[in-house]
Amino acid sequence: MRRLLIATALVLALAGCSDRSTNTSSADEPSTSASGAAANADFGTLKNVCHSGSPKAVTEQGVTDSEIKVGVFSDIGFTKNPEFVDAAKVFTSWCNAAGGINGRKIVPVTRDSKLMEVQQRMIEACRDDFALVGGGAAFDGLGVKARLSCLLPDFPAQSGPLNALGADLQVLAQGAGVGYAPYTGYYTWLIKEAHPDSAQHVGVISGDVPITKVIAEQVKELIPAIGGKVAYADVYPAAGVSDWTPYAQTIKSKKIKGLIFNGSFNELAKLEQALTNTGYQLDWIDTNNNAYGPAFLQLAKSSLAKQNNYADLSGVAPLEQAADNPATKEVQDLFAKYAPDAQVTLPALRSFTAWLLFATAAGECDDLTRKCVYENAMKQTEWTAGGLQAPMDLTKVTNPPKCFNVVQATDKGWTVADFKPDQGSYRCDIPAYKYKGSYGKPMTLADVGKSMADLK
């Protein structure tokens, strides 16, 4: 989870900030009921997620007798990537067609943070929204203080900087796992089972920005703790690399067999081409799950037959298994119906799990309040989003991650790797690792002079 947003942040940092538009947050057209019969209110194993009702009059911010206004953070004005906005459109269109949240329609409002305008959009969300749902911003940490000061609950698709991930009033559908290494199972499988000869020959290359450098330090703590050795560590310039040959030659000379890459998959594709050109094949490359999608396959197509590329989806069901997983197939069908030109991506799937968590928690409230929704979400002990992900205990942000699942990029496309799942599509038998180093901590209500008693 963290790696996905960190890699995204690096992509944005490399792109620069000169082309941001001047628009502020904008209210999307409210999703309305589809014509004809009401939509099926069930999703996967979840029953009656959205339905009609007779909502009580309330005085909550962002809530009326007929609507619930929620904010969706996105850097769309900078990245031009609409995946969180698309997911909001699809989910709310389906939910509203089924009757909404006890009869109230959900109105998603895009909070376009344009990379560096997180705080400005958060102030607007504090003024107008009931909650934040299904979004993410590369530098979301810039808005945490304002969010906690106005007691705004957050159900993000993803969260990155350490002061934001696991902060108070945030419920992450995949679990925050504060204090724990998120990829312990994955790396243990790579160096002990899939490619044991690589264990003492692991390399790490990271973009030269603070976030990815912190991740590199965490990796350098984790790998020795699980029986490996980081034999090479390097950074590459934030502006990108014109010639990756020197890096490839260093990797070859140091006999590195496994490579963890924290950065843009565009740059990774160039590095892999340089490695292939030098005639050197690694046992494995961790692309990070930001590469999971068709773009990396296209960029790296000349090297995919030579290099073994893996990504850990951290317990989210892969699109490649949609035919065998009704919940994933249902997301694809809903996208085809409500946003046929949009692409279903890993962040979009994570956004959908967040929307399902919010709707389920809100639907159980007789009186719709922030406190009720937040507390209901925190009661989930085995949240699977109807089958979109491995079970996760959300009752504490410090609950460690349990399960992982691995996909592999090949010249024929992304496929599910042979990682020996033991619980359905996931593997959950490798103990979690708690960091011993200090890498920052999430912000709390106490940091802004508040407490849970202030949440109403």
Side-chain angles (χ1 to χ4, degrees):
M1 168 61 66
R2 269 174 278 186
R3 181 96 56 72
L4 180 76
L5 190 58
I6 287 162
T8 303
L10 180 63
V11 173
L12 301 179
L14 297 178
C17 306
S18 61
D19 193 37
R20 297 201 305 269
S21 68
T22 57
N23 293 333
T24 57
S25 61
S26 59
D28 300 335
E29 289 296 321
S31 302
T32 56
S33 298
S35 59
N40 182 6
D42 299 339
F43 181 88
T45 59
L46 295 171
K47 302 301 180 184
N48 210 27
V49 177
C50 300
H51 52 82
S52 59
S54 301
K56 300 177 181 179
V58 294
T59 57
E60 276 288 321
Q61 175 182 295
V63 179
T64 69
D65 290 351
S66 60
E67 294 181 345
I68 307 169
K69 182 183 290 187
V70 298
V72 182
F73 263 78
S74 170
D75 287 320
I76 186 172
F78 181 83
T79 66
K80 314 306 178 188
N81 188 337
E83 53 198 345
F84 295 143
V85 177
D86 290 338
K89 175 184 178 182
V90 171
F91 180 87
T92 57
S93 295
W94 165 72
C95 184
N96 290 342
I101 305 297
N102 295 327
R104 289 189 177 96
K105 305 303 181 187
I106 306 175
V107 180
V109 180
T110 300
R111 298 297 177 189
D112 183 2
S113 42
K114 306 175 201 170
L115 187 62
M116 297 304 297
E117 296 183 11
V118 174
Q119 187 172 14
Q120 295 94 312
R121 299 295 86 76
M122 190 64 73
I123 291 171
E124 294 165 358
C126 282
R127 182 189 64 208
D128 297 329
D129 299 340
F130 174 69
L132 303 177
V133 184
F139 300 124
D140 58 346
L142 298 175
V144 179
K145 183 176 181 180
R147 181 179 67 79
L148 293 180
S149 296
C150 73
L151 301 171
L152 185 63
D154 183 22
F155 302 82
Q158 57 192 41
S159 184
L162 297 179
N163 71 320
L165 181 70
D168 280 352
L169 302 186
Q170 182 194 81
V171 189
L172 198 62
Q174 288 79 40
V178 172
Y180 288 88
Y183 302 105
T184 304
Y186 172 47
Y187 289 142
T188 300
W189 169 75
L190 277 172
I191 69 173
K192 288 190 173 181
E193 298 179 28
H195 303 283
D197 290 343
S198 71
Q200 302 303 307
H201 309 277
V202 177
V204 183
I205 294 181
S206 305
D208 193 7
V209 294
I211 296 173
T212 49
K213 289 164 79 172
V214 168
I215 288 298
E217 292 303 311
Q218 292 174 329
V219 167
K220 286 188 278 188
E221 176 184 336
L222 173 64
I223 295 300
I226 60 176
K229 178 182 178 181
V230 176
Y232 164 64
D234 207 344
V235 296
Y236 71 88
V241 178
S242 58
D243 183 6
W244 278 93
T245 303
Y247 289 85
Q249 291 172 338
T250 300
I251 289 170
K252 183 177 181 179
S253 67
K254 291 182 175 292
K255 299 180 180 180
I256 299 303
K257 296 184 178 182
L259 179 66
I260 298 168
F261 192 84
N262 294 316
S264 161
F265 62 76
N266 303 67
E267 296 298 318
L268 175 59
K270 297 175 186 177
L271 170 58
E272 293 198 23
Q273 184 61 60
L275 286 164
T276 302
N277 289 345
T278 62
Y280 192 70
Q281 181 178 3
L282 290 153
D283 289 358
W284 56 268
I285 297 173
D286 171 26
T287 68
N288 76 63
N289 51 29
N290 191 52
Y292 178 58
F296 175 71
L297 297 176
Q298 182 64 27
L299 289 168
K301 60 182 179 181
S302 61
S303 302
L304 292 175
K306 300 289 185 180
Q307 307 294 341
N308 291 321
N309 289 275
Y310 298 101
D312 177 11
L313 302 189
S314 301
V316 176
L319 294 166
E320 290 72 27
Q321 291 184 329
D324 300 316
N325 186 35
T328 307
K329 181 63 166 60
E330 192 166 352
V331 172
Q332 291 180 327
D333 291 344
L334 290 174
F335 266 73
K337 180 176 182 179
Y338 293 111
D341 296 327
Q343 182 182 359
V344 183
T345 64
L346 180 61
L349 289 173
R350 285 181 163 140
S351 179
F352 225 84
T353 67
W355 279 105
L356 287 164
L357 179 62
F358 170 77
T360 299
E364 295 173 349
C365 295
D366 292 331
D367 295 318
L368 187 61
T369 65
R370 288 175 169 180
K371 181 176 182 175
C372 178
V373 176
Y374 173 73
E375 290 183 345
N376 283 345
M378 291 288 288
K379 291 176 183 177
Q380 296 287 345
T381 58
E382 291 190 335
W383 177 253
T384 68
L388 286 178
Q389 65 176 56
M392 188 62 205
D393 184 350
L394 305 182
T395 56
K396 295 180 181 178
V397 298
T398 53
N399 285 333
K402 294 181 178 180
C403 305
F404 69 99
N405 57 319
V406 186
V407 289
Q408 183 172 5
T410 73
D411 54 357
K412 295 179 176 59
W414 286 97
T415 63
V416 177
D418 183 17
F419 63 96
K420 298 179 175 56
D422 62 350
Q423 291 189 27
S425 298
Y426 313 102
R427 183 165 175 181
C428 312
D429 66 335
I430 296 176
Y433 175 78
K434 189 172 184 178
Y435 289 126
K436 294 179 173 58
S438 177
Y439 304 106
K441 60 181 182 179
M443 191 171 288
T444 67
L445 286 166
D447 292 330
V448 296
K450 302 278 187 178
S451 73
M452 286 300 299
D454 296 309
L455 184 66
K456 306 300 182 183

